[in-house]
Amino acid sequence: MRLFWSTCPKCLKAFVVEWALRHAGRQLICPYCGNRYLPDESAAIDDRYAE
Amino acid sequence: MPKAKRTSGQAGGGAPRSLSSYLDLIRDDPAEFRTVSRTVNPLKFDVTAVLEQLDRRGEFPTVQFENPLNLHGEPSRFPIVANLWATRERCAEACGLPRSEAGRQLGSRFAELVGRKHEPVVVSSDNAPVQAHVYQGEKADMWMLPAVRHFEMDLGAVLTMGLVAHAPGENFYNITFTKTFPESGRRGGFTIHTPHMTRMWKAWERRGERCPVANVLGHHPGFWLGTLTNTPWGDNEYATAGGFLQEPVRLVPSVTWGKDFLVPADAEIIIEGEIVPGERTIVNPFGDISLQYQAQQLAPYMEVTAITHRENAVFQDVFSGHRDHMLLGSIAREGTIFDHLKQKLGNVVAVHMPFSACGRYTAYISIKKTDEGQAKQAGLQAIAHVPNLHVAVVVDEDIDVFNEEQVLWAVNFQVDPRRDIDLIKNLRPGNDPRGIGSSRVIIDATRPTHIAFPTRLRVPPEDLERVRLEEWLDPIERSAR
């Protein structure tokens, strides 16, 4: 299953997200501070992937 | 105000089995049961910090937290109990075995109990302890519960116990462990990882109808072990759970749907709710069985219709990613594989799912081999029968599958990787949420019989029997200089 790491733009902590949410237009919820934001608003994204 | 009802009139004269009745059996033994009386905040990791430290000390008592806060941050009316399944000995007791038979006997006992079904009986609400208190409408607030946030990256508090459902038009029930995230008092997203339960709620969703579910937060440990069996579609898991309880599960019409949906009368707390078709919400991360976080994802959610609980109810939690969680599933899988191989091949001796693979992903299987090829057959059968089993290591009967050193010795010295390791591709179940691959491995670590091959060294057994340490070793004071 493909994953990516999103870094919350508010608290700058990273958490793991299913790839299906990367372009779904749904807000992520930071588990550390509760901030809701779109994936493209992440402070950083690690979406490296290999088959 | 909660609706209070009479709780007397138990069937059969004796008290039916419940979590409370089980806790009464162990609460006087400090090795098995400990309490924490100070106020704990389960959202701030007070609960899991206690359990983690006990785990690191190699101590695995069931722990009851007497004074937790609920999700509103107020004192909860419900104590939390966790670590119920954290030792094989307690699991053996829950299956009606003596504690001394917690090894290979436990798997075969599990297999035996799977076939010993008791049809459930229906009692009235007046005879159902779980409906002593009933909350509906706005008063049915999940945040009254002391739900536990387990790990630092978890999205929040999680209800870790089981969900009951049935398919539209069917009269059998499926019960499976799920994770419910109470995002508000009346709504909770949840993840489902078993094929039958997934099939059920998707059947409701295809019809555009709300799927009725009951989240059961606490019952006798035997009830839960019975729900973990790999039963065929159409089996009523209340009947299977009754086999494990060794008495019929008592059911009561639910508050929301009446006799159209029956719930366990002797549970501690039940949340009744409906899965909303076509809607999804955010759940996870959650620190799960593989000691990794399940990724944030979209999942279905339920809207709460009622909450009921017994007098002096206890809120049950599973300490995920630890012994409590590992044994809960591993014993069921050991029994399932043992039973399946016994029926298919007849040469299985013992099955163990080790903690090193979280009690899920690797099976050590010993067989009485009479011909080459039997080990691979056993491994194939096990992998085909148990979802998420990644590695099957098959050894001879003289290797103790509960002794990992012996198993890994066999892997190191009886396996030619080119000949004895088989890779099976593209077997990932569709609902596997983890970021791991779809391949599986069978390792035939039995001693080859078709070629000349060394044997494992040993001191002659008759001499081990003859030389008794207590007679032959000098006393300690004489050995010391």
Side-chain angles (χ1 to χ4, degrees), chain A residues 1 3 5 14-18 21 26-29 31-32, chain B residues 149 152-155 280 282 295-298 428 432-434:
Chain A
M1 177 170 288
L3 309 170
W5 284 81
F15 59 99
V16 65
V17 186
E18 277 191 7
L21 275 168
R26 295 286 295 249
Q27 287 186 320
L28 309 180
I29 305 175
Y32 296 104
Chain B
R149 185 180 181 194
E152 61 181 343
M153 199 195 290
D154 284 5
L155 182 61
R280 300 290 185 271
I282 292 282
Q296 191 155 101
Q297 66 176 104
L298 288 172
R428 182 181 65 189
D432 185 350
R434 301 173 182 87

Side-chain angles (χ1 to χ4, degrees), chain B residues 96-139:
Chain B
L97 284 177
R99 300 169 62 82
S100 58
E101 296 187 8
R104 68 172 60 180
Q105 301 94 336
L106 190 46
S108 53
R109 172 65 171 176
F110 191 94
E112 176 195 341
L113 291 176
V114 170
R116 197 188 288 183
K117 300 183 190 308
H118 279 295
E119 288 302 318
V121 296
V122 179
V123 300
S124 67
S125 179
D126 283 350
N127 290 322
V130 76
Q131 292 182 351
H133 297 272
V134 175
Y135 302 85
Q136 291 176 280
E138 292 300 315
K139 290 188 171 63

Side-chain angles (χ1 to χ4, degrees), chain B residues 2 9 44 55 69 121 155 181 184 214 247 310 334 426 443 460:
Chain B
K44 300 289 187 186
D55 185 284
L69 301 180
V121 296
L155 182 61
F181 297 74
S184 71
E247 64 185 29
R310 61 193 300 152
E334 287 172 8
N426 302 316
I443 301 175

Side-chain angles (χ1 to χ4, degrees), chain B residues 89-407:
Chain B
E89 287 75 16
R90 284 203 293 275
C91 294
E93 278 183 333
C95 288
L97 284 177
R99 300 169 62 82
S100 58
E101 296 187 8
R104 68 172 60 180
Q105 301 94 336
L106 190 46
S108 53
R109 172 65 171 176
F110 191 94
E112 176 195 341
L113 291 176
V114 170
R116 197 188 288 183
K117 300 183 190 308
H118 279 295
E119 288 302 318
V121 296
V122 179
V123 300
S124 67
S125 179
D126 283 350
N127 290 322
V130 76
Q131 292 182 351
H133 297 272
V134 175
Y135 302 85
Q136 291 176 280
E138 292 300 315
K139 290 188 171 63
D141 172 15
M142 285 193 289
W143 282 23
M144 77 167 78
L145 302 169
V148 178
R149 185 180 181 194
H150 296 80
F151 305 107
E152 61 181 343
M153 199 195 290
D154 284 5
L155 182 61
V158 177
L159 309 174
T160 53
M161 301 305 294
L163 208 64
V164 182
H166 68 75
E170 303 283 6
N171 61 359
F172 60 91
Y173 291 86
N174 184 255
I175 313 167
T176 190
F177 279 83
T178 57
K179 294 177 290 290
T180 304
F181 297 74
E183 62 188 54
S184 71
R186 306 295 312 284
R187 174 174 139 159
F190 56 88
T191 57
I192 297 173
H193 304 292
T194 57
H196 289 346
M197 184 70 78
T198 301
R199 180 173 167 182
M200 286 177 170
W201 79 260
K202 285 190 171 176
W204 287 96
E205 186 165 73
R206 277 195 299 275
R207 295 158 62 118
E209 296 178 24
R210 296 163 76 93
C211 170
V213 290
N215 205 336
V216 180
L217 307 176
H219 207 305
H220 188 279
F223 172 91
W224 292 115
L225 288 170
T227 71
L228 292 163
T229 55
N230 191 6
T231 51
W233 177 261
D235 271 19
N236 186 355
E237 291 200 334
Y238 281 139
T240 311
F244 280 73
L245 281 177
Q246 298 165 73
E247 64 185 29
V249 174
R250 298 184 341 129
L251 301 176
V252 62
S254 57
V255 169
T256 307
W257 311 281
K259 61 181 174 48
D260 290 339
F261 194 108
L262 302 171
V263 296
D266 298 300
E268 298 292 311
I269 304 167
I270 289 178
I271 301 171
E272 297 178 4
E274 292 174 336
I275 303 175
V276 181
E279 299 291 328
R280 300 290 185 271
T281 191
I282 292 282
V283 298
N284 288 341
F286 177 75
D288 205 5
I289 183 68
S290 64
L291 314 189
Q292 297 163 309
Y293 290 99
Q294 291 183 352
Q296 191 155 101
Q297 66 176 104
L298 288 172
Y301 63 82
M302 71 168 173
E303 291 178 345
V304 176
T305 55
I307 296 177
T308 72
H309 68 83
R310 61 193 300 152
E311 203 68 48
N312 301 315
V314 176
F315 174 88
Q316 190 176 355
D317 183 62
V318 177
F319 187 26
S320 62
H322 289 73
R323 300 274 176 111
D324 194 22
H325 192 186
M326 293 178 188
L327 282 170
L328 178 58
S330 69
I331 287 168
R333 285 166 176 78
E334 287 172 8
T336 297
I337 294 173
F338 182 89
D339 192 39
H340 186 67
L341 295 183
K342 187 177 167 188
Q343 290 181 40
K344 294 289 181 183
L345 304 175
N347 59 0
V348 61
V349 175
V351 179
H352 184 217
M353 311 282 288
F355 291 130
S356 57
C358 301
R360 297 289 189 282
Y361 300 100
T362 292
Y364 297 154
I365 302 164
S366 59
I367 62 170
K368 188 176 180 64
K369 187 173 91 170
T370 55
D371 204 357
E372 290 303 310
Q374 291 176 339
K376 187 185 288 187
Q377 286 178 4
L380 274 171
Q381 290 285 349
I383 282 177
H385 197 61
V386 174
N388 294 332
L389 177 60
H390 282 190
V391 181
V393 181
V394 186
V395 297
D396 290 305
E397 61 178 324
D398 62 335
I399 298 292
D400 178 4
V401 292
F402 289 86
N403 184 330
E404 196 156 54
E405 286 185 22
Q406 288 190 19
V407 173

